[in-house]
Amino acid sequence: MNATFIIAKREFRSYFDSPLAYVVICLSLLMLGVGVFVWPGKFWQVDRATLASMFEVIPIGLVVLIVPVVTMRLVAEEKRSGTLEMLITLPVRDSEVILGKFLGAFGLVLVLIFSTLLYPLLMFKFWHLGPIDTGPVFSGYFGLILFGAAAVALGLLISSLTETQVIAFFITFIVLGMLYVVGELGVLVPNALGTVLRELSFKEHYTSFQRGLIDTRDIVFFLSCAVLALLLAFRSLESRKWT
């Protein structure tokens, strides 16, 4: 496990050694502010002290921008630059490489998620916009952590299957986007297929957290997605030994 944390620390630090982390954090907070306060039908229009609009916007930001940008370079860039072969010749297991890279990227996503706490602190602690129900806030952030873990694992899997960052970015964006909206298609298909589509939807499983409910089925769904994606990413990295 020591090797895992060394790789995770190296990966996490590499984001802040370049402008990437700072640009993504600032851009994400700016987009969140626009989505919550400027976009029609959001905070100022509902006329009550609620963060529901914020928890609607953050998952979209994770899918559209944050996770594809953060994960696109994890393995694809290592392959392109040739540093992956050097990394895997070190006395570390493939599973430690995958888990370390996941923890490093997930660490940055957690920093981004918890940086959004600036909004409720400013709105309800310093601006005194009214009392707030802390239950949905807690469950919302808990759901975001699970959502982010599953999304990062899928992004890592896609990066391990591709050769360039650009391809990894677009495939991750498409796959996460489809998994987010597939539940809407399930509503249009009122049969067993529709049920399956809704069960595969990230949005469907996240909605209960947004409403203040913590359902073990939703927890199991996100954790299962993360574990399965990491196992497949490990197999993808291990496949180099088969050729």
Side-chain angles (χ1 to χ4, degrees):
M1 289 300 292
N2 187 44
T4 298
F5 289 116
I6 291 174
I7 294 172
K9 183 179 179 181
R10 164 185 172 269
E11 201 67 41
F12 182 78
R13 182 181 296 173
S14 68
Y15 290 113
F16 291 92
D17 288 339
S18 68
L20 177 64
Y22 307 100
V23 171
V24 172
I25 291 173
C26 293
L27 187 58
S28 299
L29 290 176
L30 178 62
M31 291 174 59
L32 178 61
V34 172
V36 173
F37 297 107
V38 179
W39 203 260
K42 296 302 181 182
F43 183 80
W44 297 117
Q45 284 73 38
V46 297
D47 196 30
R48 56 191 175 94
T50 176
L51 290 174
S53 58
M54 189 181 80
F55 289 112
E56 290 175 4
V57 173
I58 294 177
I60 298 174
L62 289 173
V63 168
V64 172
L65 173 68
I66 296 171
V67 172
V69 169
V70 169
T71 61
M72 65 182 183
R73 58 179 291 277
L74 288 176
V75 181
E77 178 61 17
E78 299 264 20
K79 288 181 181 179
R80 189 195 65 79
S81 62
T83 55
L84 179 63
E85 291 302 322
M86 181 182 69
L87 177 63
I88 58 183
T89 56
L90 297 174
V92 294
R93 295 189 292 269
D94 291 349
S95 58
E96 292 174 330
V97 172
I98 292 297
L99 189 56
K101 285 183 169 293
F102 167 76
L103 291 176
F106 185 48
L108 178 57
V109 170
L110 287 180
V111 170
L112 288 162
I113 289 174
F114 287 118
S115 67
T116 63
L117 284 169
L118 285 171
Y119 283 99
L121 285 175
L122 288 173
M123 292 160 61
F124 301 102
K125 179 68 174 178
F126 298 104
W127 298 345
H128 306 291
L129 296 182
I132 183 173
D133 185 0
T134 57
V137 175
F138 173 79
S139 64
Y141 274 105
F142 182 57
L144 284 174
I145 293 171
L146 295 173
F147 187 107
V152 169
L154 285 169
L156 172 58
L157 170 60
I158 293 168
S159 182
S160 72
L161 295 171
T162 54
E163 299 293 334
T164 67
Q165 295 186 59
V166 175
I167 294 175
F169 173 87
F170 282 108
I171 294 179
T172 302
F173 169 77
I174 292 170
V175 170
L176 291 179
M178 290 177 61
L179 287 173
Y180 189 74
V181 302
V182 71
E184 306 295 333
L185 299 176
V187 175
L188 302 176
V189 185
N191 50 34
L193 177 59
T195 302
V196 171
L197 292 176
R198 288 192 296 274
E199 288 298 319
L200 293 175
S201 172
F202 274 33
K203 183 178 181 180
E204 290 287 327
H205 287 280
Y206 173 73
T207 299
S208 60
F209 293 106
Q210 183 183 334
R211 294 173 177 170
L213 302 174
I214 297 179
D215 192 325
T216 54
R217 292 172 297 181
D218 299 322
I219 297 175
V220 169
F221 170 80
F222 284 120
L223 291 180
S224 298
C225 287
V227 171
L228 179 59
L230 290 176
L231 288 174
L232 292 175
F234 164 68
R235 290 300 181 187
S236 174
L237 186 62
E238 191 183 41
S239 66
R240 75 189 188 281
K241 300 176 182 177
W242 305 343
T243 58

